[in-house]
């Protein structure tokens, strides 16, 4: 009898110690823990926990450990998980508007990238709503540079190279450059280069440094091609099941994460480019011939994108160019 009473008292104490509406959300993310996007998400999760007194805990599953990158948006949409992060332009096959920030040389400074996101946000929100998703925040990568195993002086030098891609936009870029597109996710970059599966890629200084690119390639050409974004989305039904106070805590933490993330991205650009150079990668200023050829590809891609993006794309560009 005494034992039963003791167990009942312990159970009651445990119940009292936990918030009545305590809930745990699993959050898949595609990048390793050291990537600044993941660091920022961990702070976001901590802010939510603190603001809700543990009423909502977000468990971050990094580096594609719960769902692979291309599967994350579908997992959130289907309700397998309530929240997740992914590269926004991965959805460009659903609608070209999602890929606006990956168009070469449309927005190459952080100021322009912010202006583009301001123009893109309403359309993206509407399109995600149709999928049962709601955007919480978006954070850019540093400007994208060209990584190769040799010096590249013109677009012709890219011809025939096995080129790492991760979305439809970059696949189109590789094809227009005469390269051979090959789908490779971030965790697989070192092995892909080491085995000769790829010979070139366009990505950020962050990804290059985190992948220790100096182990398998030699040159980084600072073409500053575009400033793409990661987006954090929540399943609308899961969000609506939260009480109003918890919903506001999530939105407040998301706003703080967006501001913090943009600041982290800008800091990353110089710091990680320096890391590449310190570890022996040759940092190359692009030749005028190379940039002329790349801009021509960008103009062709923009023309193709306008046709695909239709009225939503036209409205986006009008808002961005005002």
């Amino acid at each position: 009898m005494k034992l039963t009473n003791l167990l009942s008292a312990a159970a009651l104490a445990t119940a009292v110690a936990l918030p009545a509406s305590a809930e745990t959300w699993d959050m898949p993310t595609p990048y390793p823990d050291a990537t600044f996007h993941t660091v920022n998400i961990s702070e976001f999760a901590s802010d939510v926990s603190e603001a809700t007194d543990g009423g909502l805990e977000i468990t971050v599953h990094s580096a594609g450990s719960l769902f692979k990158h291309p599967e994350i948006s579908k997992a959130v949409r289907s309700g397998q998980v309530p929240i997740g992060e992914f590269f926004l332009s991965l959805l460009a096959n659903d609608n070209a508007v999602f890929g606006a920030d990956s168009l070469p040389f449309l927005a190459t400074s952080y100021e322009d990238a912010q202006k583009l996101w301001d123009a893109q946000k309403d359309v993206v929100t509407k399109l995600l709503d149709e999928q049962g998703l709601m955007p919480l925040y978006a954070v850019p990568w540093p400007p994208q540079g060209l990584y190769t195993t040799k010096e590249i002086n013109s677009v012709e030098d890219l011809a025939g190279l096995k080129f790492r891609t991760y979305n439809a936009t970059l696949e189109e870029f590789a094809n227009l450059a005469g390269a051979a597109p090959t789908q490779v996710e971030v965790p697989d970059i070192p092995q892909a280069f080491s085995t000769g599966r790829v010979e070139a890629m366009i990505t950020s200084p962050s990804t290059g440094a985190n992948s220790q690119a100096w182990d398998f390639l030699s040159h980084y050409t600072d073409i500053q091609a575009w400033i793409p974004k990661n987006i954090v989305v929540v399943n609308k039904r899961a969000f609506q099941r939260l009480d109003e106070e918890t919903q506001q805590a999530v939105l407040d933490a998301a706003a703080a994460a967006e501001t913090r993330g943009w600041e982290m991205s800008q800091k990353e650009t110089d710091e990680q480019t320096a890391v590449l150079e310190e570890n022996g990668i040759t940092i190359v200023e692009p030749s005028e011939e190379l940039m002329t050829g790349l801009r021509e590809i960008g103009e062709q891609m923009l023309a193709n994108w306008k046709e695909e993006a239709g009225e939503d794309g036209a409205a986006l560009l009008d808002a961005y160019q005002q």
Side-chain angles (χ1 to χ4, degrees):
M1 191 69 177
K2 289 182 179 179
L3 179 59
T4 301
N5 289 339
L6 284 172
L7 290 173
S8 298
L12 178 61
T14 301
V16 171
L18 292 172
S21 58
E23 186 171 356
T24 298
W25 280 6
D26 288 311
M27 182 177 183
T29 74
Y31 304 101
D33 291 335
T35 303
F36 79 94
H37 283 283
T38 313
V39 172
N40 189 35
I41 284 172
S42 295
E43 291 190 43
F44 162 73
S46 178
D47 287 347
V48 169
S49 175
E50 183 177 350
T52 62
D53 292 325
L56 178 59
E57 298 286 349
I58 298 175
T59 302
V60 179
H61 300 268
S62 60
S65 56
L66 186 60
F67 289 97
K68 297 300 183 185
H69 195 173
E71 301 167 355
I72 292 176
S73 65
K74 300 179 183 68
V76 182
R77 188 187 315 169
S78 64
Q80 292 174 272
V81 289
I83 188 171
E85 178 209 28
F86 53 87
F87 195 71
L88 179 58
S89 63
L90 281 181
L91 299 184
N93 282 336
D94 296 340
N95 190 298
V97 167
F98 288 119
D101 59 8
S102 291
L103 289 170
F105 308 108
L106 179 62
T108 59
S109 70
Y110 280 99
E111 181 181 359
D112 284 346
Q114 180 65 67
K115 188 177 178 183
L116 181 60
W117 177 228
D118 291 341
Q120 190 182 21
K121 190 182 302 182
D122 286 347
V123 184
V124 165
T125 299
K126 181 190 75 170
L127 293 172
L128 290 176
D129 182 75
E130 293 170 0
Q131 299 182 8
L133 302 174
M134 184 178 81
L136 290 180
Y137 69 89
V139 169
W141 289 93
Q144 306 289 284
L146 175 64
Y147 293 80
T148 52
T149 56
K150 63 179 183 179
E151 187 168 349
I152 301 295
N153 293 307
S154 68
V155 169
E156 286 71 26
D157 291 340
L158 296 172
L161 293 184
K162 288 172 277 188
F163 201 96
R164 179 228 170 190
T165 62
Y166 47 76
N167 60 19
T169 304
L170 198 50
E171 184 173 344
E172 180 184 9
F173 176 91
N175 283 323
L176 288 173
T182 304
Q183 179 81 18
V184 175
E185 294 300 329
V186 168
D188 302 322
I189 287 174
Q191 183 181 22
F193 270 93
S194 298
T195 59
R197 187 180 168 204
V198 292
E199 302 165 289
M201 65 178 176
I202 290 180
T203 193
S204 69
S206 301
T207 299
N210 291 335
S211 301
Q212 297 185 346
W214 47 85
D215 289 338
F216 48 82
L217 52 80
S218 57
H219 287 73
Y220 173 76
T221 306
D222 189 19
I223 60 174
Q224 299 184 27
W226 57 85
I227 301 179
K229 295 181 293 291
N230 283 3
I231 193 166
V232 171
V233 302
V234 64
N235 180 285
K236 283 177 59 182
R237 290 191 299 270
F239 184 78
Q240 290 164 355
R241 283 195 294 267
L242 302 174
D243 61 68
E244 288 186 9
E245 188 174 349
T246 304
Q247 288 181 0
Q248 192 58 52
V250 171
L251 294 175
D252 290 345
E258 181 157 300
T259 298
R260 181 175 59 239
W262 281 73
E263 293 170 353
M264 293 171 75
S265 180
Q266 293 182 66
K267 187 178 179 183
E268 279 275 307
T269 302
D270 292 336
E271 289 184 351
Q272 300 301 345
T273 301
V275 168
L276 296 175
E277 188 169 22
E278 288 165 8
N279 283 276
I281 288 184
T282 301
I283 308 298
V284 181
E285 284 296 316
S287 68
E288 188 57 41
E289 183 181 2
L290 175 61
M291 291 306 298
T292 297
L294 291 176
R295 289 192 184 100
E296 288 174 357
I297 290 175
E299 289 170 3
Q300 180 62 57
M301 291 181 66
L302 179 59
N304 295 343
W305 181 87
K306 286 178 180 178
E307 290 185 12
E308 295 177 16
E311 292 182 2
D312 283 340
L316 187 160
L317 282 180
D318 286 343
Y320 172 61
Q321 292 168 348
Q322 283 180 0

